Amino acid sequence: MPKVTLKGFIIVPESELEIVKSELVNHKRLSLEEHGCIRFDVTESLENPLRFDVYEEFRDKSTFEHHQARVKASHWGKVTVNVERHYQMVE
């Protein structure tokens, strides 16, 4: 199976920026610890502090889907419910 790459960005509501930034450290750590995670980068934009650029690579579709399910049920999933997501996925 080919690897799965997700890239794009998120826009965080200003009123939720501090909680999202606070939880981001934990979100990155847990994602990188997942079986099948090759790369996981979320970087705050220098031009727009509400924008975070996202780049993820997973070994295959199965490990990517596992990541998505874990994230949805996680604390990160709860604190980012109002975040705008703009992603492209490539298999």
Side-chain angles (χ1 to χ4, degrees):
M1 285 191 183
K3 77 177 176 181
V4 173
T5 302
L6 181 138
K7 58 185 174 179
F9 63 94
I10 61 174
I11 301 293
V12 178
E14 189 170 0
S15 62
E16 299 173 19
L17 184 59
E18 289 309 311
I19 186 80
V20 169
K21 286 173 72 171
S22 174
E23 183 57 24
L24 181 57
V25 173
N26 189 47
H27 176 54
K28 285 182 184 180
R29 181 184 58 78
L30 290 173
S31 296
L32 287 166
E33 290 175 355
E34 288 180 47
H35 176 72
C37 181
I38 299 168
R39 184 171 168 188
F40 192 87
D41 298 321
V42 181
T43 309
E44 188 174 4
S45 168
L46 296 175
E47 293 84 34
N48 179 355
L50 302 179
R51 177 185 165 132
F52 291 78
D53 295 313
V54 178
Y55 185 87
E56 306 175 8
E57 288 182 7
F58 287 85
R59 185 185 70 213
D60 54 33
K61 189 171 183 175
S62 173
T63 57
F64 176 74
E65 288 174 348
H66 179 267
H67 167 74
Q68 292 293 302
R70 182 196 63 78
V71 167
K72 194 174 206 179
S74 72
H75 186 60
W76 173 259
K78 291 175 181 60
V79 301
T80 61
V81 70
N82 296 319
V83 165
E84 290 178 37
R85 291 166 169 83
H86 304 272
Y87 298 138
Q88 288 181 316
M89 190 176 82
V90 179
E91 292 185 55

